[in-house]
Amino acid sequence: MRPIVGVICEYDPFHLGHRRHFELIRAALPEARIVCLMSGCFTQRGMPALHAPGARAQAALAAGASLVLELPCAFSVRDAEHFALGGVQILASLGFVTHLSFGAEDALDRLRPAAMLLEHPTPAFEQALKAELARGSSFAAAQGAALARCLGEPGANAPSTWQKPNNILALCYLRAIERLRSPLQPLPVKREGDYHAPELEGGAFPSATAVRAAFLKGAFAQADAACGYALPRNPLCLPDALDSVLLYKLRASSAEALSALPDCTEGLENRLKACAMRCSSREALLDALKTRRYARARLSRLCCHALLDVTAELLYAHPAPEYVRLLGLRRSAQELTALLKQSPLPVIAKAADGDRQNPLWQLDLRAYDLWALGAGLPAGLMLTQGVGVV
């Protein structure tokens, strides 16, 4: 059987770096089919995707993906550990994916020992982490320093290795494979370029951040060149399109209700409520909320959870994916259709076939309807978006 390589992704938007990822997978495994598990309307950074899921899936298929599935919203808008865990659970549960490929700044022989140490921490690591936190370091910095110390990596720059964005997710993928005892074989590829570079700098492999920035300021030719295709001009959900909805929900909610949000602890609900009452945009709200203790990414996800009515109780009651949606496939990979039908995890092609009583399905419906609202579209987008075929 030919290898089937899973890729957990967002493609907001799909660009030349992602195309290069496909090329590197096929350089390592020439006969591989590529299965993309892509975030839907909202991303891990707690923001609506610029383009609709269907358009992003179509771009991946055109670039060579064999199949595109959707990561449910309950797992796409999560911290790195749960984002990775949800994705690996789905790919492993399908029953036919053989490999997991992801970008990383470092090679597997360096990543794996760090991942195993995080998943099975030693007393020495826990002591080092506690000491770094006591010095006032952020958790990410403390963890990086503790890893460097316990792995015997000298040098002042060693801890920063474990704070690089692709390495962070790579460690989470490896930890998820270990935790689930999954047979998925890791296939890391070298990430080239700055993952968070704010501007297109003429390099071969841009960041999604830079592509979005160019597109939003009207530099369409630059953005299209960085993606290798003409990005759709509409429909779009702009970054500030749902600001008013978010602020209204926060202002209208009691502090007690806000405390039910995931990771809203230690009185953060009071700060969230107070800041929402005086801020007039999402960016201003995040600026007001951010402290050394509360990272902007965490706060952004908190706001997204408030927008989508996601509670800690919901996530606790549904810790694992219960289905996956089909977004698109290639005609040349028809054998995957038969494998999808045999999957132990339900694969839903028609949204009308979804279980409307399932809270995870209800969350996905809300996510699509909110995205549609921001894009100026009527409700029901998830029900009308068909499966793309290339």
Side-chain angles (χ1 to χ4, degrees):
M1 179 180 171
R2 66 168 63 191
I4 300 177
V5 181
V7 176
I8 302 168
C9 53
E10 292 186 326
Y11 297 155
D12 183 28
F14 188 93
H15 57 63
L16 292 177
H18 301 129
R19 186 185 293 269
R20 175 63 174 163
H21 187 183
F22 289 0
E23 292 169 355
L24 291 172
I25 289 172
R26 292 206 166 99
L29 301 169
E31 298 299 316
R33 296 292 196 195
I34 296 175
V35 174
C36 297
L37 179 60
M38 189 187 78
S39 298
C41 291
F42 289 83
T43 66
Q44 200 219 350
R45 66 186 191 281
M47 292 291 290
L50 186 60
H51 295 91
R56 288 152 46 224
Q58 198 75 7
L61 291 169
S66 303
L67 186 71
V68 182
L69 303 168
E70 183 175 288
L71 180 64
C73 188
F75 305 95
S76 69
V77 187
R78 297 294 295 277
D79 59 274
E81 179 181 347
H82 291 93
F83 174 88
L85 186 61
V88 170
Q89 284 176 307
I90 287 176
L91 292 176
S93 297
L94 289 172
F96 57 80
V97 178
T98 58
H99 295 71
L100 173 66
S101 186
F102 47 86
E105 287 88 359
D106 286 273
L108 186 60
D109 59 355
R110 191 176 186 205
L111 294 168
R112 198 191 295 273
M116 294 306 100
L117 183 55
L118 290 174
E119 191 62 19
H120 306 290
T122 63
F125 174 80
E126 292 178 334
Q127 184 177 357
L129 178 62
K130 185 177 179 180
E132 291 294 333
L133 290 170
R135 291 191 181 100
S137 300
S138 69
F139 185 82
Q143 180 175 272
L147 281 172
R149 183 182 304 177
C150 292
L151 294 171
E153 297 179 336
N157 293 327
S160 65
T161 294
W162 307 115
Q163 297 177 57
K164 295 177 180 177
N166 287 276
N167 276 352
I168 289 172
L169 264 177
L171 293 177
C172 291
Y173 291 138
L174 293 172
R175 291 180 65 185
I177 289 172
E178 169 73 6
R179 191 179 306 175
L180 297 170
R181 292 178 168 78
S182 167
L184 289 175
Q185 298 180 51
L187 182 64
V189 300
K190 178 72 173 176
R191 165 70 197 191
E192 300 181 49
D194 183 350
Y195 185 78
H196 289 306
E199 301 288 341
L200 294 175
E201 300 170 344
F205 306 112
S207 72
T209 301
V211 174
R212 288 192 302 271
F215 188 88
L216 290 170
K217 70 181 182 182
F220 300 128
Q222 280 184 289
D224 291 351
C227 293
Y229 63 97
L231 284 166
R233 305 298 190 252
N234 59 76
L236 303 173
C237 187
L238 299 178
D240 61 353
L242 296 170
D243 283 16
S244 296
V245 182
L246 169 65
L247 289 167
Y248 171 76
K249 294 197 78 162
L250 293 175
R251 292 178 181 185
S253 298
S254 66
E256 182 181 3
L258 294 176
S259 70
L261 296 171
D263 296 322
C264 194
T265 57
E266 302 172 333
L268 180 55
E269 66 274 12
N270 297 311
R271 184 178 178 84
L272 180 59
K273 174 79 174 180
C275 291
M277 295 301 287
R278 69 173 187 266
C279 293
S280 59
S281 72
R282 189 179 187 280
E283 286 300 303
L285 175 64
L286 293 177
D287 288 340
L289 284 169
K290 187 179 181 299
T291 66
R292 187 171 184 176
R293 183 174 182 81
Y294 299 119
R296 192 181 185 90
R298 174 184 169 179
L299 294 168
S300 182
R301 284 190 292 272
L302 178 65
C303 289
C304 192
H305 285 147
L307 184 68
L308 292 165
D309 294 324
V310 177
T311 64
E313 182 181 3
L314 168 65
L315 298 182
Y316 179 80
H318 299 272
E322 297 167 15
Y323 60 85
V324 67
R325 292 186 60 237
L326 176 63
L327 292 180
L329 72 161
R330 294 185 70 85
R331 293 187 181 89
S332 59
Q334 287 297 321
E335 77 277 9
L336 294 182
T337 304
L339 294 175
L340 288 175
K341 293 178 180 177
Q342 299 167 16
S343 168
L345 182 72
V347 180
I348 301 171
K350 290 177 60 179
D353 294 336
D355 179 5
R356 286 179 175 257
Q357 302 306 310
N358 185 329
L360 296 184
W361 188 260
Q362 293 170 359
L363 172 56
D364 282 341
L365 284 168
R366 288 199 300 276
Y368 267 84
D369 281 349
L370 274 166
W371 191 94
L373 179 65
L377 299 175
L381 177 61
M382 194 168 102
L383 298 172
T384 58
Q385 177 183 268
V387 175
V389 180
V390 171

